[in-house]
Amino acid sequence: MSFLKYILDREWLLDHLHDRQVRIVDCRFTLTDPEKGRQDYLTGHLPGASYFDLEKDLSSPVGLHGGRHPLPNLDQLVKKLEQSGINEDSTVVVYDNGEGAFAGRFWWMLQYLGHEKVYVLNGGFKQWVLADLPVTTDIPLHEPAHFKYQVKPGILAQYSEVQDVVSGAKSDVVLIDSREEKRYLGLEEPIDKKAGHIPSAINKPWMEGLEDGYYKPAGEQQERFAELSSDQQIIVYCGSGVTATPNYLALKEAGFKNVKLYVGSFSDWISYDGNKID
């Protein structure tokens, strides 16, 4: 197959659009307009693509803790996967509009469920359309599948682990804040109730790993994280566990082996009154 480890090019997908083992997932979403992604899907999507909603399918309702996009109910997510014809043998290709974050969230969720044959479409829907490739309004009816999964807890960072990093109990763990610099520095905070970052975190803005919706090559990703050792344990976070996923993926492409996602992220951290913020 003509893809990097986790990133798939549109030429490969075009050649395999009607492969029975390939399932396509549309994850387009707009944080400021939660219904827009589904409307965009109904207006036109890749042939055979099923729609997964960030807030309805890939997150559970917001609670006191857990951040703005807590982990979804896994049984409900698996049921939706099965309804979309996805089983443990499926090659799953996911796309958003090229931002990387919403497709990244789905990609990470399948990795968490132990399904490794999942890939992000490089360039997303935007570049697919610009290349004048097929789009349809037909809603696919897939034969229901049975999805066997085995959760990989090792790629999920618990709140207690982040506490240990901040307290110095785990001084060898690197905490990466994936938000843009002005939010990391606390100069601007358009979403969360408090501004700043989790103490000891370094800043690696997630959008710097992409260009025009395409992931930068592995060598350039390695340059982004050049001061880190590929053997170090790394925990990535953002505001709510969504935009950190492109950084998680980029780190894996760059050869980092021990990477975890703090799903609750900054919005979970600040939900505990006693936590410090830098």
Side-chain angles (χ1 to χ4, degrees):
M1 295 182 179
S2 59
F3 46 71
L4 299 171
K5 193 170 183 182
Y6 302 111
I7 310 297
L8 185 65
D9 62 48
R10 60 178 180 263
E11 290 77 15
W12 185 93
L13 185 55
L14 184 63
D15 288 341
H16 293 79
L17 268 182
H18 305 293
D19 189 327
R20 290 178 59 85
Q21 288 297 325
V22 173
R23 289 289 179 262
I24 304 171
V25 170
D26 184 319
C27 281
R28 283 176 289 168
F29 195 81
T30 301
L31 290 168
T32 55
D33 185 358
E35 295 302 317
K36 188 176 186 303
R38 182 175 294 277
Q39 291 302 318
D40 287 345
Y41 170 78
L42 294 173
T43 301
H45 50 264
L46 270 64
S50 301
Y51 184 70
F52 279 68
D53 186 288
L54 170 66
E55 295 186 344
K56 294 173 182 174
D57 300 315
L58 303 177
S59 309
S60 58
V62 176
L64 179 61
H65 302 298
R68 284 183 280 106
H69 293 107
L71 280 181
N73 178 290
L74 295 187
D75 289 337
Q76 291 178 6
L77 175 60
V78 168
K79 185 176 180 181
K80 175 75 182 277
L81 291 166
E82 291 178 337
Q83 291 170 345
S84 302
I86 295 172
N87 63 29
E88 65 273 12
D89 296 320
S90 302
T91 295
V92 184
V93 183
V94 58
Y95 67 88
D96 50 26
N97 209 37
E99 308 92 344
F102 307 116
R105 171 73 169 218
F106 179 92
W107 175 88
W108 185 89
M109 283 303 317
L110 255 66
Q111 292 281 334
Y112 182 62
L113 291 174
H115 188 86
E116 296 194 356
K117 289 192 289 186
V118 55
Y119 307 93
V120 173
L121 178 63
N122 220 5
F125 185 78
K126 181 179 179 181
Q127 295 296 341
W128 181 272
V129 171
L130 287 174
D132 200 27
L133 297 178
V135 172
T136 183
T137 56
D138 294 341
I139 307 298
L141 285 173
H142 295 297
E143 183 177 339
H146 177 60
F147 184 81
K148 297 177 187 174
Y149 70 94
Q150 187 169 3
V151 168
K152 293 199 307 190
I155 70 171
L156 173 67
Q158 302 292 340
Y159 167 69
S160 58
E161 293 179 73
V162 179
Q163 284 183 303
D164 287 343
V165 177
V166 173
S167 70
K170 287 189 175 180
S171 57
D172 56 333
V173 179
V174 179
L175 195 57
I176 293 180
D177 186 315
S178 304
R179 299 171 301 163
E180 57 187 324
E181 186 181 37
K182 55 190 174 183
R183 289 184 70 192
Y184 168 79
L185 293 174
L187 302 176
E188 181 180 296
E189 184 44 66
I191 305 173
D192 290 311
K193 295 176 182 178
K194 297 178 182 179
H197 62 268
I198 300 174
S200 82
I202 63 173
N203 188 213
K204 297 289 180 181
W206 67 275
M207 65 289 293
E208 293 178 0
L210 295 97
E211 189 169 355
D212 296 327
Y214 294 103
Y215 274 88
K216 293 177 179 177
E220 291 186 36
Q221 304 291 1
Q222 289 167 357
E223 290 176 14
R224 290 180 62 218
F225 305 109
E227 74 271 33
L228 306 177
S229 165
S230 61
D231 294 323
Q232 280 182 289
Q233 185 182 118
I234 297 170
I235 297 175
V236 294
Y237 78 88
C238 54
S240 68
V242 178
T243 57
T245 57
N247 257 355
Y248 181 101
L249 200 159
L251 282 158
K252 299 300 286 186
E253 285 287 6
F256 288 83
K257 301 175 183 68
N258 196 354
V259 187
K260 296 186 177 187
L261 172 68
Y262 174 28
V263 170
S265 286
F266 188 69
S267 55
D268 178 56
W269 181 259
I270 63 172
S271 71
Y272 297 90
D273 291 335
N275 283 342
K276 295 180 180 179
I277 302 167
D278 281 352

